[in-house]
Structures are given as structure tokens and as C-alpha cells.
Amino acid sequence: MIDLQGNPVLLGNSRRAQNQIKHACRRAAERYGFDLTPDDYQKLRERLVAQFRDQTGIVFLGGDKDGSRFAVWHGAEWIPLVYSKKHKTIVTFLPKQVLRDNKEKLPW
């Protein structure tokens, strides 16, 4: 796998990254009913990075020092999530309320 600059990325190379991945998988199950295996998570993360590059199916909602919030088109709906550039992980899947709070940014 490569990052946005074309550099190789090794996921899970820190304890924090591993915790973020576990947290994201739990939130995906709780909030959206996704049962993400490590392989599923990896594929989703790779697709997200490709969407960053292509600027398709993704909307920037805001960010801070811990991560950037995005809405990602998945299937037939927008899914809000937080992505950490530092750790190159999906940190969490946010509740749908985030979409309602940012509806002016989405191409409904």
C-alpha cells in the first residue's frame, strides 16, 4: 500500500494506530452494522485513500490536530468518519447527526 505521496505505508506500526483501528471497527458495527474484518478495514482504507487522490465520493467536513472529518459515499449513503493522516488510519465512524450538522457541504 502507498500513501498520497506514493510512499509505502505500514499500517499498525504503533500501538496508537492499532487502537484506532480497533475503535473504528467497533464504531462501524455499532453505528452502521458493518462487521469489518482486518482485511475489510484495509480495503476500505485503501479505497478512502484513492478517493482522496481522485476527489470523488468524498467531502471534507473539517479537521483538527487529531484528524480530519470526511463524508464518504459508500453504497447508497454518505458515511461520516475521521481519518488520521499521522497514523494513516480511519480513527472512527461518526454518527449520522454529523451529516445533518454539515448538510450544506454535501451534494444532496
Side-chain angles (χ1 to χ4, degrees):
M1 175 187 333
I2 58 171
D3 66 12
L4 295 174
Q5 291 77 36
N7 301 314
V9 173
L10 299 174
L11 287 181
N13 56 355
S14 73
R15 175 176 274 169
R16 181 159 178 109
Q18 285 297 316
N19 288 337
Q20 288 174 339
I21 292 168
K22 288 177 188 175
H23 175 81
C25 290
R26 276 195 309 272
R27 290 295 182 256
E30 289 172 8
R31 294 176 173 155
Y32 298 97
F34 300 157
D35 185 22
L36 294 178
T37 64
D39 191 47
D40 293 336
Y41 174 92
Q42 182 67 13
K43 288 177 184 172
L44 181 62
R45 193 209 149 282
E46 288 173 6
R47 189 173 64 116
L48 181 64
V49 170
Q51 286 174 295
F52 290 151
R53 214 177 3 253
D54 299 340
Q55 293 296 303
T56 58
I58 191 163
V59 176
F60 179 71
L61 301 176
D64 57 28
K65 66 180 177 75
D66 295 325
S68 298
R69 294 183 310 278
F70 293 94
V72 177
W73 186 252
H74 180 71
E77 65 181 331
W78 288 100
I79 305 290
L81 54 81
V82 175
Y83 182 79
S84 169
K85 288 182 184 177
K86 179 179 180 182
H87 297 285
K88 297 178 179 26
T89 58
I90 298 170
V91 176
T92 192
F93 290 82
L94 299 167
K96 289 205 182 251
Q97 178 62 41
V98 172
L99 297 176
R100 289 188 286 277
D101 295 344
N102 290 278
K103 63 184 174 188
E104 72 284 350
K105 295 179 183 176
L106 296 173
W108 297 88

